[in-house]
Amino acid sequence: MSRKPLTVRVEDVCFCHWPVDPDVLDRAIPSWLSVERAADDAWITAIHHTVAGVSAFGVDLGNPAQSVTVRTYVTGPDGQRGLYFFAAFTTDPIASAAGPLLRLNYRDGRVTRRDADGDHRTERTLDVDGRRALTVRYTLGDGPASPAPPDSLPAFFVERFRVFGDGPLGSRFVGNVGHEPWELGPVEATAEEDLLSVLDLPDAAGDPLVHYSPGNELGVSPFRPLWLD
């Protein structure tokens, strides 16, 4: 039985999406990528999640951790859809050390998660450089989680299998992330952010959208130079 090079199990995943001006966002991504729009906007997403486990070729690595990743939605030179990550934060130092391998820009930050007593509400926060960058509060609704309908806005956000990254001297990389369809469940949520300004990203052009998933397993293939794709 073959084993995946890197498998990441994530749980309790809260996606927070902000619409932003596409022309301004275009200046924040590498010139060889193009901003992809949905509902006439470009989007930046912060994902608060619990990393329940990481394994490489079947060998367990690290410990459960709280993490935040910040990404946007792009197309590459070949026109294929993918993701571009601006930053990542984690409570796991092993994951942070592996950032260059994963083309993730891990930054210093404090990530917390706590359950409020009595009202079934979860609060997750991110502090960066002494500033409260993101606070998400959510309560799960009744009803089962299910895959996003094809060609819907939720599917635009979560059904992504390609990641683009840049490196020194203008180098370009691409990687693949395999997963089963994300199951999204009902949630009532609020998101307060100073994150976009902290990361020098475009200001939000509207209120955030929030989606919730109980979790998924991600199979990450090694990143490779784009010209070999």
Side-chain angles (χ1 to χ4, degrees):
M1 181 176 64
S2 63
R3 293 178 175 175
K4 299 174 183 177
L6 185 66
T7 299
V8 181
R9 291 184 293 109
V10 294
E11 298 176 349
D12 193 24
V13 184
C14 196
F15 300 86
C16 304
H17 320 279
W18 287 271
V20 298
D21 185 310
D23 293 331
V24 180
L25 181 61
D26 185 63
R27 298 193 288 272
I29 63 174
S31 60
W32 51 277
L33 295 173
S34 300
V35 171
E36 186 177 7
R37 305 186 189 198
D40 297 324
D41 287 304
W43 296 84
I44 294 174
T45 297
I47 307 171
H48 257 292
H49 58 285
T50 300
V51 178
V54 179
S55 63
F57 297 102
V59 178
D60 290 336
L61 302 173
N63 297 307
Q66 300 302 317
S67 296
V68 176
T69 56
V70 184
R71 72 191 196 186
T72 192
Y73 306 90
V74 298
T75 55
D78 56 4
Q80 295 204 32
R81 306 168 72 200
L83 301 168
Y84 178 78
F85 284 87
F86 293 111
F89 307 85
T90 183
T91 59
D92 181 4
I94 294 178
S96 181
L101 175 64
L102 302 176
R103 316 310 306 174
L104 288 178
N105 176 25
Y106 276 103
R107 294 183 45 163
D108 291 334
R110 182 172 180 265
V111 185
T112 66
R113 180 194 184 282
R114 72 179 184 90
D115 294 320
D117 293 334
D119 61 2
H120 306 291
R121 185 178 64 174
T122 298
E123 179 179 278
R124 308 181 88 142
T125 63
L126 170 66
D127 295 338
V128 181
D129 297 332
R131 298 166 61 182
R132 177 57 50 87
L134 179 62
T135 300
V136 184
R137 301 181 181 93
Y138 57 93
T139 303
L140 302 186
D142 295 329
S146 59
D151 301 320
S152 65
L153 186 58
F156 171 89
F157 291 133
V158 302
E159 296 305 329
R160 299 275 166 161
F161 301 93
R162 177 168 286 207
V163 180
F164 297 102
D166 49 359
L169 303 177
S171 53
R172 309 172 182 182
F173 295 88
V174 61
N176 292 304
V177 180
H179 56 79
E180 295 296 323
W182 282 91
E183 294 193 340
L184 304 178
V187 65
E188 295 182 3
T190 61
E192 303 167 4
E193 64 83 23
D194 199 22
L195 179 65
L196 302 184
S197 64
V198 168
L199 298 181
D200 294 323
L201 294 173
D203 293 335
D207 294 332
L209 300 177
V210 178
H211 293 104
Y212 177 86
S213 175
N216 210 338
E217 182 174 281
L218 314 177
V220 183
S221 298
F223 280 65
R224 59 195 184 280
L226 185 61
W227 59 79
L228 298 180
D229 184 42

